[in-house]
Amino acid sequence: MKRSKDDYVIRAVENAMCVLEAFQEDEILGVTELAKRLGLHKNKVFRLLATLEQKGYVEQCEDERYRLGSACLALARAFERHNTLAKEGQRALEGLCAKTSESAHLAVLDGFSVMHIGSVICDCLLSTGSRTGLRLSAHNTALGKALLAFLPSERLDGLDRKFIRRKALAAATPASITDRDKFFDHLRAVAGQGFALDIEECAVGLCCVAAPVHGADGAVIAALSISVPTARAGEEALRSRFAPEVVAAAAGLSRRLCGPA
C-alpha cells in the first residue's frame, strides 16, 4: 500500500514555513505573538526564528521583533526568473495595464484562497497597490471566482466539502456573497460568460474583472484581472469596456504557455 505524503512530513520544517507565512499578514511580529498564532511554545518559535535569521529569511528589528529578510526576496526573484507562468504573466500584465490604464494582477489558486504572483500598477493617482504575495479568500474576488468557475467538477466538489461546507463564506464587505447556493449559481454564470466580476465584494470602493488562464491540457492554472476604483468605472464599464480586454489578455497568455501548436 502506497504511503501518504503526510507520513514523510518533517514537522520542524513545516513549522518553519508556518512562521514565514505568518509574515504575509503583518510586516513585523514578535516571538510571543507568533507562538500564540501558531500554537507553538515560545522557546520553539525562538529557535525557529534563530535558524531562519541565520539563513537570512528573517531579520531582527531594533525592538527585538522580526520581519522577513532579504533571502525571501532572492527566492521570489528566482521564482520570477525560472517560472514560465510568472515570466509570461508579467508580459501579459504589462500589456493589459497599457491597454486599460488600470492596475493588472495575476493569481493562482491555493486551497480556497488566491495567491497573487504578479502585479503591474497603473500611473493613476487613484489606484490599487501591488498585491504580489498577497493571499485573499477566493469567493470575494474576481480572480478567485474566475479560477473556481472553470475547475473540474470533482475538484470543485472537493473544495466545497473541505472549505465551504465546513466554514461559512465570510463577508469582506456588505456586497460579498455569503450564501452557498447563491455562490454556486454565481460560479455557473461566470463559467457561461467567460469572466468574473467583483463589485465591491473584496473592498469597498473597488471593482475588478478577471478571466481564466489555461494550460496545455486545458485546465485552468491561473487568472488575470484588472482592478478599478468604483469612482472611475462601475459594472457596465467593466462588462463592456474592460472584460473583453481581460479575456483577450488571458487567452493570449494561455496560448503562449501552451507553446507552438
Side-chain angles (χ1 to χ4, degrees), residues 28-246:
I28 300 175
L29 290 166
V31 175
T32 301
E33 176 63 19
L34 279 167
K36 182 179 178 180
R37 289 191 187 188
L38 302 178
L40 298 173
H41 194 279
K42 286 175 61 175
N43 184 54
K44 180 174 288 188
V45 171
F46 178 78
R47 291 167 62 193
L48 288 168
L49 286 167
T51 304
L52 291 168
E53 183 180 19
Q54 187 179 53
K55 301 297 292 183
Y57 289 100
V58 299
E59 58 186 28
Q60 196 167 29
C61 306
E62 292 183 2
D63 61 1
E64 298 189 349
R65 292 186 297 167
Y66 292 83
R67 62 188 173 198
L68 292 178
S70 58
C72 293
L73 179 60
L75 275 184
R77 296 302 187 204
F79 175 84
E80 291 175 351
R81 288 195 306 272
H82 303 303
N83 183 275
T84 302
L85 175 59
K87 287 191 294 184
E88 292 294 339
Q90 185 65 23
R91 289 175 52 195
L93 291 173
E94 291 170 357
L96 186 56
C97 180
K99 284 189 175 182
T100 63
S101 298
E102 300 293 349
S103 298
H105 312 281
L106 175 68
V108 296
L109 194 63
D110 182 13
F112 197 62
S113 299
V114 289
M115 170 62 77
H116 293 76
I117 63 172
S119 292
V120 173
I121 308 306
C122 69
D123 293 330
C124 302
L125 291 177
L126 183 60
S127 66
T128 59
S130 174
R131 296 181 181 176
T132 302
L134 181 65
R135 181 183 278 107
L136 295 171
S137 182
H139 73 285
N140 289 323
T141 65
L143 284 164
K145 290 186 287 186
L147 286 160
L148 293 170
F150 293 90
L151 287 179
S153 58
E154 61 272 15
R155 188 176 173 196
L156 186 58
D157 288 344
L159 292 174
D160 183 23
R161 290 192 300 271
K162 185 174 182 180
F163 296 100
I164 301 176
R165 294 184 185 181
R166 291 176 57 187
K167 302 176 182 178
L169 295 172
T173 74
S176 299
I177 302 174
T178 57
D179 180 88
R180 176 182 173 276
D181 292 336
K182 289 182 179 179
F183 181 64
F184 278 93
D185 285 343
H186 187 80
L187 290 184
R188 283 188 282 272
V190 169
Q193 67 189 9
F195 61 88
L197 300 180
D198 153 20
I199 311 297
E200 298 190 289
E201 295 170 49
C202 182
V204 174
L206 187 69
C207 56
C208 304
V209 56
V213 176
H214 299 276
D217 60 356
V220 61
I221 57 172
L224 278 175
S225 78
I226 59 165
S227 53
V228 188
T230 53
R232 199 150 60 231
E235 181 173 353
E236 182 179 350
L238 285 181
R239 289 184 178 277
S240 62
R241 177 185 168 194
F242 293 116
E245 295 287 0
V246 176

